[in-house]
Amino acid sequence: MKLVDEVKSAVTPRAALLVIGVLALQLLFIASYVGALHKPRPTDVPFGVVAPGPAATQAAERLADLPGDPLYPRVVRDEAEARRQILNREIDGALIIDPRGTTDTLLVASGGGTVLANALTRITTQLEQAQQRTVRTVDVAPASPEDFDGLSAFYLVVGWCVGGYLCASILAISAGSRPSNPQRAIIRLAVIALSAIAGGLGGAVIVGPLLGALPGSVLGLWGLGALVVFAVGAITLALQALTGVIGIGLAVLLIVIAGNPSAGGAFPAPMLPDFWRTIGPALPPGAGTWAARSIAYFKGNALSGAMQVLAIWAVVGTVVTLVMSAVRRKEDRA
């Protein structure tokens, strides 16, 4: 055979298109991760200010006028209210101004992201120094000493996401990307559900009792993990049911390329560019990371939004998978 004929035989048009798709995913991966993470800086971080009388409003206005808009300050009634809002994840920090002295108090929550807590400390320290004042930092929800930079929750969720789309992908590769009837679709969903239960428990035990990386309820993390794995697996099955093997690439695009850098793992959401900050909470890695940190460090507060996001992905993935399997059965009978 001539070389051209050999190439045509070795690389079919379908394979060539898939290679081009892989190249596109590769470049999107680079663009997404570098675009999101190459220059982190705090922007419009929800931030409380406590001070008596008009001093609170004046301080909030001063913080709002900082170059680059790192903070989005709001006046808070007192220190107890500031602590409550931090633990409810309504704000990320608060400055308690003491008019009777020269030392103020900064409240942070490193459990929500050590990098962000450090950034708030740096910003307020510089501001206080310019006014010949000092600041002491109090960590209201401290990250575990075994949880370096608060990354354990993020990596836990990434592992669950990987388990979800790999399980769905293996089912597609081994038995056809599109289930031929609803019964097979239900079986695949059931397999993913069983994998989700096992993976959720395994991940919770590893980061909790085994490694001590995350505090919080093992049962809570188990339930979260099962939902994350199932949601990602179900949406991967749905994408495969719609597009065939290309669905695996679409799942990678959605979960890995778009979801991971926007999840608030390495850098919490207020430190990400606008695009990634916007999409992160709506994708499984971002919702899962937020929920894992809430369980571990914030007494389970502010969970409902993230859990609703994951539930929607799970329901949509399940419904689309079942509907497409029914449509295919009708096509096969026709």
Side-chain angles (χ1 to χ4, degrees):
M1 296 177 66
K2 295 181 180 180
L3 178 59
V4 174
D5 294 330
E6 195 72 53
V7 170
K8 289 181 179 180
S9 177
V11 183
T12 64
R14 182 172 181 270
L17 289 174
L18 290 175
V19 169
I20 293 171
V22 169
L23 175 61
L25 288 176
Q26 178 187 106
L27 298 179
L28 286 170
F29 184 100
I30 295 170
S32 183
Y33 276 72
V34 177
L37 307 177
H38 77 290
K39 192 179 179 181
R41 66 182 185 89
T43 305
D44 293 331
V45 180
F47 191 78
V49 179
V50 177
T57 302
Q58 295 170 2
E61 291 175 349
R62 188 166 62 250
L63 292 172
D65 291 336
L66 290 174
D69 298 322
L71 304 178
Y72 183 67
R74 65 188 70 172
V75 175
V76 179
R77 183 177 66 251
D78 53 29
E79 181 175 344
E81 176 63 15
R83 288 174 176 268
R84 186 194 68 80
Q85 289 191 22
I86 291 173
L87 289 176
N88 284 339
R89 310 198 73 179
E90 298 171 19
I91 58 177
D92 292 305
L95 182 63
I96 316 299
I97 298 174
D98 180 7
R100 297 169 297 180
T102 59
T103 300
D104 299 327
T105 301
L106 171 67
L107 304 180
V108 297
S110 61
T114 303
V115 175
L116 179 58
N118 291 340
L120 293 177
T121 301
R122 183 178 66 254
I123 291 168
T124 53
T125 299
Q126 292 173 352
L127 180 65
E128 296 280 279
Q129 286 176 347
Q131 299 176 349
Q132 286 75 52
R133 298 179 67 83
T134 58
V135 63
R136 70 182 185 95
T137 301
V138 176
D139 201 339
V140 176
S144 166
E146 305 298 322
D147 182 12
F148 178 75
D149 271 357
L151 290 172
S152 296
F154 170 62
Y155 288 128
L156 172 64
V157 172
V158 167
W160 282 332
C161 289
V162 169
Y165 69 72
L166 282 184
C167 181
S169 300
I170 289 171
L171 290 172
I173 293 171
S174 63
S177 56
R178 295 185 175 100
S180 58
N181 56 61
Q183 288 77 14
R184 290 194 178 185
I186 291 171
I187 291 172
R188 291 188 183 186
L189 288 166
V191 170
I192 289 178
L194 292 173
S195 174
I197 293 170
L201 176 60
V205 170
I206 289 171
V207 301
L210 191 59
L211 297 179
L214 284 181
S217 167
V218 172
L219 288 177
L221 289 174
W222 180 11
L224 171 64
L227 182 56
V228 169
V229 175
F230 184 80
V232 173
I235 203 65
T236 303
L237 283 182
L239 291 171
Q240 292 169 169
L242 287 168
T243 64
V245 70
I246 295 173
I248 297 176
L250 294 177
V252 171
L253 175 63
L254 181 70
I255 304 301
V256 179
I257 295 176
N260 285 356
S262 65
F267 302 110
M271 302 192 73
L272 297 176
D274 289 342
F275 173 75
W276 287 269
R277 185 193 306 195
T278 300
I279 67 173
L283 298 175
T289 299
W290 176 276
R293 284 175 172 163
S294 289
I295 292 170
Y297 297 118
F298 295 91
K299 302 179 180 179
N301 295 327
L303 268 178
S304 60
M307 299 301 280
Q308 287 171 19
V309 167
L310 293 169
I312 289 171
W313 282 109
V315 171
V316 170
T318 299
V319 171
V320 171
T321 300
L322 293 174
V323 169
M324 292 306 299
S325 66
V327 168
R328 188 176 182 193
R329 183 175 64 175
K330 289 181 180 179
E331 290 176 350
D332 291 341
R333 289 178 175 178

